[in-house]
């Protein structure tokens, strides 16, 4: 802990450490487009985390740092505004990605969530859903928007 930063190694919000690593908190910097990261939303928020900082060392072009932010998702709209159980709805907004969850008013999770892009996802209305707001969430937080009606 510093006056500016806090990290609880016993309860990390994000953990990209591969199993059986010799050096804790270090990954081999190999060519790739993805890094597997485990997350715990409660720990992430308790740590005040903003995302993952990747420090690249010993690479061909010199050392550098990338910051990969993890931001709470936001809903701007959804369509249609009413549907039957089992029907798909399209949600638009921001900060959608792997691990984004969708729940309906009575805390019923969507049966299937397909993230098409950081601004668009589709979700299927689950059995037991009732009319009310829809919520999207990830480890960084959540957002909800009202006005969805479950058709009989």
């Amino acid at each position: 802990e510093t006056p500016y930063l806090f990290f609880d190694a016993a309860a990390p919000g994000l953990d990209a450490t591969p199993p059986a690593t010799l050096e804790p908190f270090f990954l081999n910097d190999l060519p790739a487009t993805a890094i597997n990261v485990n997350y715990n939303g409660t720990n992430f928020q308790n740590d005040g985390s903003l995302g993952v900082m990747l420090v690249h060392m010993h690479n061909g072009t010199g050392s550098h740092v990338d910051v990969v932010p993890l931001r709470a998702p936001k809903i701007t709209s959804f369509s249609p505004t009413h549907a039957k159980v089992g029907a798909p709805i399209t949600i638009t907004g921001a900060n959608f990605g792997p691990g984004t969850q969708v729940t309906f008013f009575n805390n019923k999770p969507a049966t299937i969530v397909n993230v098409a892009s950081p601004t668009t996802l589709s979700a299927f209305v689950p059995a037991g859903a009732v009319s009310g707001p829809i919520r999207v969430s990830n480890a960084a937080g959540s957002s909800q928007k009202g006005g969805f009606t479950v058709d009989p």
Side-chain angles (χ1 to χ4, degrees), residues 31-116:
T33 58
I35 295 174
N36 291 325
V37 176
N38 295 314
Y39 71 90
N40 177 299
T42 301
N43 293 346
F44 182 87
Q45 291 175 12
N46 287 343
D47 285 349
S49 296
L50 301 176
V52 175
M53 179 172 60
L54 302 173
V55 179
H56 304 271
M57 302 179 326
H58 311 295
N59 54 19
T61 59
S63 298
H64 68 276
V65 174
D66 293 312
V67 176
V68 181
L70 180 59
R71 296 186 176 109
K74 306 259 188 261
I75 297 176
T76 54
S77 66
F78 50 81
S79 177
T81 58
H82 60 91
K84 292 183 177 188
V85 167
I89 59 168
T90 300
I91 301 172
T92 57
N95 306 322
F96 302 152
T100 301
Q101 300 172 344
V102 177
T103 53
F104 287 78
F105 178 61
N106 57 337
N107 217 24
K108 290 288 183 184
T111 53
I112 299 172
V113 176
N114 296 311
V115 177

